[in-house]
Amino acid sequence: MVETRGTLPKSLWPGVKAWWGADYEMYPEVCRSVYETRNSTMAFEEDVQITLMAAARVKSEGGSTTYDNIGQGYTTRYTHVAYSNGFIVTREQFADNQYPKVAKARTKALSKSHRVTKETVAANILNRATSGSYLGADGVSLLSTAHPEKVGTFANRTAVAADLSESALEDLLILIMTATDSVGDPIQLKAKKLIIPPQLAFVATRILSSVQQSGTANNDVNAIKEMGLLQEKPIMWQYLTDPDAYFIQTDAPEGMIHYQREAREITREGDFDTDNLKVKSYERYSFGYTDPRCIYGSPGA
């Protein structure tokens, strides 16, 4: 895909009033608001779960103490992937082009390419949250009604999938408020923010901003707002592919993680034989999650 003078023939002489198509504004990077970014110096990183002890048991007079132990649970591996793109321009095209804007459009398009890739890779963790082809360290999908643990299981989605509504959000928030650890004991897990596709932006705003119950004639308070749940503004993510799916991110300590192995770099080099100019961009990173308690959600009905 070498760019020659025939690729952009109109750029070889004056007279073009405007070049358009490369100046669209892009949405802010959402992945930075969803993931915690960490630096890495390894080919991959691993997070290992510690399983806890069960609650203390009654000791009868003269009887023996019951002993328990902590242990090693699931291991999550983040394998960094390299992403690269570039362009080649002939010496003649580079020299004869009459429009600085055309030259700038190349590097701008290259930056856009990497940004779209990064947002897509990050969003795909949620896009595949219910897929049996993409399993977490515990052997089930990110959203599951039966995440296996040392003692029993836990759910981060409701048994019956439901479209976004006040009652559906309340059901997910109840799951969060009754969350348990690896041995089934209650933990204080807090809901942080709602993550939605553009198609659910209006519904989410009505639900979370209403003073009274949304969509009814009742004078009951909006319990979600009154209790101070989901205080952060909803995040609308254009890279979510399911128009019905929605997610609640929690404050689980080891949740959505982005490892940056190598920051994006742009290199330029001229080819000795052809005099072509080669420009390429390179970056290496990984996205994933460690504790599935970081996300609760539903694919919609």
Side-chain angles (χ1 to χ4, degrees):
M1 299 294 291
V2 179
E3 184 182 325
T4 67
R5 286 179 293 179
T7 307
L8 290 164
K10 290 290 186 181
S11 68
L12 304 181
W13 59 81
V16 175
K17 181 66 174 179
W19 293 90
W20 67 276
D23 297 324
Y24 299 115
E25 290 293 329
M26 295 191 69
Y27 284 98
E29 286 184 301
V30 174
C31 64
R32 296 179 182 272
S33 301
V34 175
Y35 289 83
E36 176 189 346
T37 298
R38 301 174 179 177
N39 293 325
S40 173
T41 58
M42 312 289 286
F44 59 85
E45 300 285 349
E46 289 187 337
D47 293 347
V48 182
Q49 180 192 28
I50 296 176
T51 58
L52 304 176
M53 296 182 185
R57 296 167 179 82
V58 173
K59 178 186 176 299
S60 61
E61 183 176 353
S64 298
T65 295
T66 301
Y67 292 91
D68 199 351
N69 64 278
I70 64 172
Q72 180 174 304
Y74 303 112
T75 299
T76 302
R77 174 173 289 194
Y78 295 79
T79 302
H80 312 315
V81 178
Y83 299 91
S84 183
N85 200 0
F87 59 84
I88 302 174
V89 183
T90 65
R91 178 172 180 169
E92 291 77 10
Q93 161 62 20
F94 187 81
D96 294 349
N97 170 45
Q98 301 295 307
Y99 299 90
K101 185 173 183 177
V102 173
K104 292 178 181 178
R106 296 188 190 101
T107 54
K108 188 173 182 178
L110 191 59
S111 296
K112 172 186 174 292
S113 170
H114 275 262
R115 185 164 174 176
V116 168
T117 296
K118 200 164 194 176
E119 286 285 284
T120 301
V121 172
N124 277 345
I125 302 299
L126 298 183
N127 290 332
R128 299 163 177 170
T130 58
S131 172
S133 301
Y134 298 91
L135 307 181
D138 58 2
V140 298
S141 57
L142 170 55
L143 293 184
S144 172
T145 58
H147 285 281
E149 279 292 4
K150 180 179 180 180
V151 176
T153 63
F154 75 89
N156 59 353
R157 61 172 290 182
T158 54
V160 179
D163 288 332
L164 180 61
S165 66
E166 185 177 15
S167 60
L169 277 184
E170 289 175 355
D171 288 340
L172 286 178
L173 290 167
I174 289 171
L175 284 179
I176 294 172
M177 291 187 287
T178 57
T180 57
D181 60 19
S182 59
V183 291
D185 294 330
I187 57 174
Q188 186 177 357
L189 196 63
K190 295 181 180 179
K192 290 176 59 180
K193 54 180 172 280
L194 184 65
I195 303 173
I196 52 172
Q199 293 86 344
L200 296 180
F202 301 104
V203 176
T205 300
R206 283 191 287 266
I207 293 172
L208 298 180
S209 300
S210 298
V211 177
Q212 273 78 40
Q213 275 195 303
S214 174
T216 74
N218 298 336
N219 197 34
D220 297 338
V221 298
N222 181 337
I224 296 174
K225 186 172 184 178
E226 181 70 17
M227 295 172 69
L229 306 175
L230 294 173
Q231 291 185 339
E232 295 186 30
K233 289 185 178 180
I235 289 182
M236 182 177 64
W237 206 351
Q238 284 71 23
Y239 290 84
L240 294 179
T241 55
D242 188 341
D244 298 319
Y246 52 96
F247 310 88
I248 296 177
Q249 187 170 20
T250 73
D251 63 349
E254 297 295 328
M256 306 289 281
I257 307 297
H258 161 226
Y259 279 107
Q260 187 73 46
R261 177 62 181 89
E262 295 180 79
R264 181 170 171 253
E265 62 180 22
I266 297 178
T267 54
R268 298 172 174 83
E269 185 174 308
D271 183 77
F272 181 80
D273 291 323
T274 65
D275 284 332
N276 290 344
L277 173 66
K278 291 184 175 181
V279 180
K280 68 176 182 178
S281 181
Y282 175 93
E283 190 173 10
R284 188 153 60 116
Y285 53 81
S286 60
F287 285 93
Y289 65 92
T290 297
D291 186 351
R293 296 171 180 83
C294 66
I295 292 289
Y296 286 68
S298 172

